[in-house]
Amino acid sequence: MQSSSAVAGTAGAPPVPQVAAHFASLEVQNHAARLGMWLFLATEILLFAGLFVCYACYRFLFPDAFAAASRELDLVMGTINTLVLITSSFTAAMAVHYAKEGQNKKVVTMFVLTILMAAGFLVIKYFEYAHKIHVGQLPGPHYHYEGIQLPGVSMYFTIYFLSTGLHAFHVIVGMIVLAWVTTKAMRNEFSYRNYTAVELGSMYWHLVDLVWIFLFPMLYLV
């Protein structure tokens, strides 16, 4: 067993990572953590894939309604949100880079910037939602927008709110995860030997960005 001083590390230095009893080494433990995250991300992709298939089926059934409804979305807001998320993925990736070098203060800076951009994304999405609720572009039987009265248009907004709402939920979860990792970086816990938590948090955030990269053209451009 490692002594408590070995685990805590010297004053001001990152603590030495502990290896669980059922792992042969730290490398094996980190590999298992990454594999677990990849499997989790795969299930998340399958979740959104179901929505993509649903969109494709209904667009085939109601092509005119879906084309007209997509033109009702705010392309400017959608584009800004896309740029915001792409930039946030860059800062999340830089956090991993700095964690490998043991520069925990820069890890904190990068993740704080990522969280702020995530908050900005949600604010923009709030204004989009507020406008659609105001004019009646609501899902299912609640749709009462007078501008488009075509069969299937309410289904478009059902898929829109379901997919973007689910994505927004993942954004919130990602912010919580990154905030937790940020607190660990503030305690100077990461180094070249121990940065897996930063890497896994960044991987989850890249998933959030990747899903939006598919949602944006599907809902706003196609």
Side-chain angles (χ1 to χ4, degrees), residues 167-216:
H167 177 262
F169 172 76
H170 281 73
V171 171
I172 295 172
V173 172
M175 292 171 68
I176 295 172
V177 171
L178 295 185
W180 172 72
V181 178
T182 300
T183 60
K184 294 173 72 68
M186 293 173 67
R187 294 196 295 265
N188 197 39
E189 292 190 12
F190 301 118
S191 66
Y192 74 97
R193 296 187 62 189
N194 178 31
Y195 60 89
T196 305
V198 179
E199 188 176 19
L200 299 186
S202 181
M203 287 171 63
Y204 183 86
W205 191 253
H206 291 324
L207 169 73
V208 173
D209 183 30
L210 179 64
V211 169
W212 181 256
I213 293 300
F214 281 92
L215 288 178
F216 176 64

Side-chain angles (χ1 to χ4, degrees), residues 55-67:
Y55 172 90
C57 291
Y58 277 102
R59 185 176 179 86
F60 176 78
L61 294 174
F62 307 104
D64 294 335
F66 270 52

Side-chain angles (χ1 to χ4, degrees), residues 19 23-39 193 195-196 199-200 203:
V19 180
F23 290 112
S25 65
L26 179 63
E27 290 72 20
V28 174
Q29 178 174 279
N30 291 339
H31 177 73
R34 295 187 187 97
L35 179 60
M37 176 56 77
W38 278 115
L39 292 175
R193 296 187 62 189
Y195 60 89
T196 305
E199 188 176 19
L200 299 186
M203 287 171 63

Side-chain angles (χ1 to χ4, degrees), residues 67-87:
S70 66
R71 290 193 289 270
E72 294 294 320
L73 300 187
D74 193 319
L75 183 58
V76 174
M77 286 189 176
T79 303
I80 293 174
N81 261 350
T82 302
L83 295 175
V84 167
L85 275 191
I86 290 175
T87 306

